[in-house]
Amino acid sequence: MNRFVSVAVAVLAVGTAAAQKPAATRVDLLDLASGAMVVSATSEYGGAWKATRLVDGGTEAGWCSEGGKAAPNTIVVELAQPFAIKAIAVDNTGAQESGYAGISARQVVVSGSTTSATAGFAEIATIEAAKGGRKEVALAAPATAQWLRFEVRTNWGHAESSATRSSAPGRV
């Protein structure tokens, strides 16, 4: 049985350029100010829930797939250059749980590639996101990537939609 999942994802990645010494401060790699841009999304709800909201630096809204779109739903973000990703966070705080119970993304698989936006992806982390909250996961070892793919596989029970923001530590 396919579950319908709409997803709102905000991604925050913390890392340093692969060829440089580690930075002393955390950097939000999934932000327009850091050079991130959305390459593709399986769908988008529109309005305040467009794919570009994933990299806008805010947490009040995010990316949400269109209602009734069967899971999984994915979004691919290109970073300015290859980075060593040290942590990933999924932020469901702006997912409007109070009006749409269970809409928050639940299982999010994050993969990275140094090849292209369409090939060479390897799984970095699988995260069970917090319903209506934020969960950050430190990686056991840094993962180098220039393209990040976020695949939302399930939500917390909403019949047609799921919303979240993913992030990698830096915007703390």
Side-chain angles (χ1 to χ4, degrees):
M1 169 192 255
N2 275 339
R3 278 181 92 130
F4 292 105
V5 180
S6 292
V7 181
V9 179
V11 180
L12 172 63
V14 174
T16 58
Q20 298 175 349
K21 292 180 181 180
T25 59
R26 294 164 42 116
V27 176
D28 181 357
L29 300 176
L30 296 172
D31 193 313
L32 290 170
S34 296
M37 61 185 236
V38 174
V39 175
S40 66
T42 53
S43 69
E44 63 183 13
Y45 185 80
W49 298 94
K50 293 181 181 179
T52 55
R53 293 302 300 258
L54 184 65
V55 296
D56 72 355
T59 58
E60 66 282 348
W63 166 59
C64 185
S65 68
E66 63 185 293
K69 175 79 170 84
N73 286 284
T74 61
I75 187 166
V76 175
V77 175
E78 181 175 355
L79 305 177
Q81 64 185 46
F83 284 94
I85 310 299
K86 297 178 181 178
I88 302 288
V90 177
D91 189 337
N92 282 326
T93 57
Q96 301 179 348
E97 271 294 325
S98 62
Y100 304 94
I103 198 169
S104 294
R106 183 172 186 170
Q107 184 184 48
V108 179
V109 177
V110 183
S111 302
S113 171
T114 56
T115 305
S116 76
T118 58
F121 284 94
E123 186 176 322
I124 294 173
T126 297
I127 301 167
E128 180 161 320
K131 183 178 181 182
R134 183 180 191 277
K135 182 174 184 178
E136 183 175 319
V137 176
L139 304 180
T144 301
Q146 184 166 0
W147 292 271
L148 293 171
R149 180 177 63 205
F150 299 89
E151 178 183 3
V152 181
R153 293 189 176 169
T154 61
N155 65 15
W156 283 95
H158 192 276
E160 291 196 24
S161 298
S162 156
T164 189
R165 288 190 64 91
S166 294
S167 54
R171 192 188 303 159
V172 176

